[in-house]
Amino acid sequence: MVGGFRLTFLEWLDQRLVAPLYLNAPAEQYTDIDAWLADRPDVSERLLTRRSEAILESIITPKGSRALGTPIELYGITPGESLTPHWPLLTTQQDRDTAWADFSHGAAFVNEQLATAENLFPGDQLNIRAPGSNEALTIAATYPDYGNPSGQILMASPQLAARFDAPPSSMGVVLHANADVDALREALTERFGLGSDALSDQREIKRIATEIFERTFTITRALNVLTLAVAALALLASLLAQARSRRQQLAPLWALGVPRAQLAQLSLVQLGGAALVTGLLALPLGIAITWGLVAIINVAAFGWRLPLYLFPWEMAVTLATAVAVALLSAALPALRFWRASPRTLLAEEANQ
């Protein structure tokens, strides 16, 4: 589950940060900046984003209508060729291409949190009230929005500006191949007098975010190793505690003429096989528990679910550790059994 969270975070960064350069300027400058960038031969796309607050007045579904009055966030993106392939959709009314086409013409996407809280599906209608406007939006798709505690409605930036008068909030600048990002940064700074904090490099944002997140995962990985070590020691201790009773069971067989080597092999096969079978049964149980956590518990607690990722290498290491501990716990008593004198083995048989 932790490994899946890490992969999801990295994918989320790639989804949201598709442009090599991001601009955060005063709202009144975006029109001039956009026109200036449009004339630059090294600029491929301008991904303008907008934000606004509104009230979700009511919902109309095939089962009827509901009045809500819930505050929501309106977020506008530019559905360019660089962004749409990286933006995941969970459910759509038809297919992905149709959903994006409807989105460009005025339909809305809702995040998973809002869809879960209000039981929304593609095709449902939302009645939105904002200062100076009342609009009806049709849901074209739902999308994952990890970590967002509130509901969000996504629209195309031109539609959001026209229907809700939402101001620009940022702009992603996509460049052609082999274009110089640093040169464009310097040109923007000189032309519009932007401060150093107004332009952000995608690579730097990803590096800082990943570095901060990796610190958390470093602790988690250390705890995973510690947990596995404690579990291995507990298994070893419990099996060694039963070693005497197992040796007492082997003593009569030795007395009947079974060679010690065969008895030692029997002990290894018994414990190793038991550990292997138990581990093979535990793996699907662990996967089922993880699925329950990400698909049920996480949704109930936060309103969104994590993708379920499987890590065969980690599973194999855990299974191999269990089998190795079982073999070790069988090998140590088997070695003592091999070195025990006949008198000692006869005494153990007599004690039985």
Side-chain angles (χ1 to χ4, degrees):
M1 183 175 179
V2 174
F5 184 49
R6 179 179 181 275
L7 291 180
T8 301
F9 171 73
L10 296 177
E11 290 179 358
W12 181 83
L13 281 181
D14 292 334
Q15 165 198 330
R16 295 301 175 98
L17 302 175
V18 296
L21 188 65
Y22 283 87
L23 172 67
N24 292 279
E28 61 274 10
Q29 286 189 295
Y30 278 101
T31 301
D32 294 336
I33 293 175
D34 185 66
W36 183 79
L37 290 173
D39 295 332
R40 299 264 314 183
D42 54 346
V43 175
S44 173
E45 288 183 288
R46 292 103 57 213
L47 305 177
L48 184 66
T49 63
R50 299 176 182 270
R51 289 181 183 272
S52 181
E53 302 295 329
I55 301 295
L56 179 56
E57 287 283 339
S58 62
I59 297 172
I60 300 176
T61 69
K63 297 180 180 180
S65 61
R66 286 179 288 148
L68 294 177
T70 304
I72 49 92
E73 179 188 34
L74 300 177
Y75 183 54
I77 63 171
T78 302
E81 296 179 359
S82 301
L83 181 66
T84 53
H86 296 86
W87 198 284
L89 300 179
L90 296 176
T91 57
T92 60
Q93 190 171 17
Q94 298 182 42
D95 58 85
R96 180 183 176 88
D97 293 337
T98 302
W100 280 109
D102 294 341
F103 178 80
S104 299
H105 291 88
F109 294 166
V110 297
N111 67 351
E112 187 179 9
Q113 289 84 326
L114 182 60
T116 301
E118 304 299 340
N119 197 28
L120 298 176
F121 297 93
D124 295 345
Q125 182 174 302
L126 309 174
N127 293 322
I128 308 297
R129 175 171 57 84
S133 61
N134 287 276
E135 297 286 343
L137 302 175
T138 301
I139 300 176
T142 62
Y143 66 94
D145 191 18
Y146 307 113
N148 190 349
S150 57
Q152 185 181 85
I153 296 177
L154 190 69
M155 297 180 63
S157 283
Q159 294 287 337
L160 185 58
R163 302 172 73 172
F164 294 98
D165 194 26
S169 59
S170 66
M171 178 186 289
V173 183
V174 181
L175 281 71
H176 290 291
N178 302 321
D180 192 342
V181 177
D182 294 331
L184 179 60
R185 180 201 296 268
E186 293 177 3
L188 280 168
T189 302
E190 294 176 1
R191 174 67 174 79
F192 298 98
L194 301 175
S196 58
D197 57 344
L199 293 168
S200 302
D201 190 339
Q202 174 215 63
R203 294 168 298 180
E204 184 67 12
I205 297 174
K206 285 185 178 181
R207 185 192 65 80
I208 295 174
T210 305
E211 180 180 342
I212 294 173
F213 227 58
E214 286 294 348
R215 294 175 186 173
T216 303
F217 290 122
T218 298
I219 298 174
T220 304
R221 282 191 290 266
L223 290 175
N224 286 342
V225 174
L226 180 61
T227 302
L228 184 61
V230 170
L233 288 175
L235 178 61
L236 180 63
S238 63
L239 292 176
L240 287 177
Q242 303 171 8
R244 182 174 178 81
S245 63
R246 291 198 304 271
R247 193 170 71 170
Q248 288 178 346
Q249 296 172 358
L250 295 178
L253 296 177
W254 170 80
L256 292 174
V258 180
R260 294 193 188 191
Q262 188 174 346
L263 293 176
Q265 293 174 1
L266 177 62
S267 180
L268 291 172
V269 170
Q270 283 179 334
L271 287 183
L276 179 61
V277 172
T278 304
L280 292 176
L281 293 175
L283 287 178
L285 177 61
I287 294 172
I289 292 174
T290 304
W291 178 87
L293 288 173
V294 300
I296 300 176
I297 304 301
N298 205 79
V299 173
F302 304 109
W304 49 274
R305 65 179 293 173
L306 284 168
L308 177 61
Y309 290 95
L310 300 181
F311 300 91
W313 173 250
E314 282 77 4
M315 294 179 184
V317 169
T318 304
L319 183 61
T321 301
V323 174
V325 169
L327 293 175
L328 180 61
S329 64
L332 293 177
L335 182 61
R336 294 182 59 187
F337 180 78
W338 182 273
R339 294 178 177 179
S341 63
R343 180 179 178 180
T344 302
L345 295 178
L346 292 173
E348 291 188 0
E349 182 184 4
N351 290 333
Q352 283 191 302

